[in-house]
Amino acid sequence: MSGRFRVQIAPSILSADFAALGAAIAAVERGGADLIHVDVMDGHFVPNITIGVPVVRAIHKVARVPLDVHLMIEEPDRFVEEFVTAGAAMVSVHAEVLPHLHRTLHLIKALGARAGVAINPSTPVSALEDVAGDVDHVLVMSVNPGFGGQTFIARSESKIRAVRELLEKNGNPAPIEVDGGVDATTVARVVAAGATILVAGQAIFGSPDAEAATRGLRAAAEAALAAR
Ligand code: DX5
Ligand code: ZN
């Protein structure tokens, strides 16, 4: 199975110095980041408020790799177009807030971005069943969304396996993204379970050398993928 997938490292700027985002992005790009993960929070769906469209637009001007925008907001349909116009190449929306998930995914695709569904730790994989053929990626939350630096929830490993099975059953080669508590101690487990897009905030920007941390995470993930 490993031959079909490649590891993608997506540093989450939530843990970066917001006063120096350009330098933070440049550092992880030097370390080989494939994507920049942008956590958008509205203070309603999650108990935190972070950044919005203007910041995405600004970092899009300086980032050389695609922006992976994770919308932790209550009404994503109202904002999807603005985020794509601002530079989002990938948009993940939460299944928990969308009664018309299929419509939202196709809206994202029609705008020209890759469409992903994110599920919280307490949301069953069955929430994805009827859109498993429509997604460009699935984002498995391995912490409760809202904050960086939380502890990886071990149950996420079997959840990643179940999502992989569901995608295979639907003939969809979409990659699985894992978000929350991914670091040197957990990365091999999530890759072995079937995730290949690896979001990491604290493990990268909480380290004194974000460039080296990005490189280190990739090496660990690639070794786990080769062994899969
Ligand atoms: C949490 C965010 C994550 C967060 C991950 O709600 O979606 O992207 O930045 O941070 P770490 O890697 O520190 O758990
Ligand atoms: Zn995220």
Side-chain angles (χ1 to χ4, degrees):
M1 182 159 87
S2 58
R4 283 167 45 214
F5 294 99
R6 67 189 179 94
V7 161
Q8 290 189 289
I9 305 294
S12 163
I13 55 168
L14 185 59
S15 290
D17 176 0
F18 277 15
L21 282 180
I25 290 169
V28 295
E29 285 179 341
R30 284 195 303 277
D34 300 277
L35 303 163
I36 299 297
H37 185 84
V38 184
D39 289 303
V40 176
M41 305 187 188
D42 66 353
H44 291 276
F45 177 58
V46 289
N48 195 6
I49 300 176
T50 54
I51 60 185
V53 172
V55 175
V56 170
R57 193 180 298 121
I59 63 180
H60 182 239
K61 290 193 186 126
V62 300
R64 295 194 316 232
V65 299
L67 302 184
D68 168 32
V69 174
H70 179 190
L71 297 181
M72 285 159 278
I73 63 178
E74 260 178 10
E75 295 184 81
D77 288 344
R78 287 174 52 204
F79 298 99
V80 160
E81 183 166 3
E82 274 188 80
F83 277 106
V84 175
T85 305
M90 293 167 65
V91 178
S92 301
V93 291
H94 270 265
E96 298 84 4
V97 297
L98 284 164
H100 309 293
L101 183 54
H102 179 273
R103 176 190 287 154
T104 306
L105 292 172
H106 285 277
L107 167 65
I108 296 167
K109 288 175 179 227
L111 291 166
R114 312 278 296 166
V117 178
I119 52 171
N120 282 339
S122 63
T123 301
V125 174
S126 60
L128 300 169
E129 239 161 55
D130 290 286
V131 292
D134 301 281
V135 292
D136 292 316
H137 59 277
V138 171
L139 190 163
V140 175
M141 284 305 307
S142 39
V143 298
N144 289 293
F147 305 93
Q150 302 181 79
T151 304
F152 180 81
I153 297 171
R155 156 99 181 111
S156 317
E157 236 175 288
S158 57
K159 199 163 193 184
I160 292 167
R161 286 182 206 277
V163 172
R164 188 74 265 148
E165 258 172 50
L166 177 66
L167 290 169
E168 298 299 323
K169 207 171 76 189
N170 283 269
N172 189 347
I176 298 173
E177 177 168 17
V178 61
D179 185 2
V182 175
D183 61 17
T185 68
T186 53
V187 68
R189 281 152 60 192
V190 298
V191 171
T196 47
I197 305 179
L198 308 166
V199 177
Q202 203 53 37
I204 288 178
F205 292 111
S207 120
D209 185 343
E211 178 183 339
T214 305
R215 215 173 273 125
L217 202 61
R218 166 183 301 289
E222 277 176 354
L225 185 65
R228 192 159 92 178

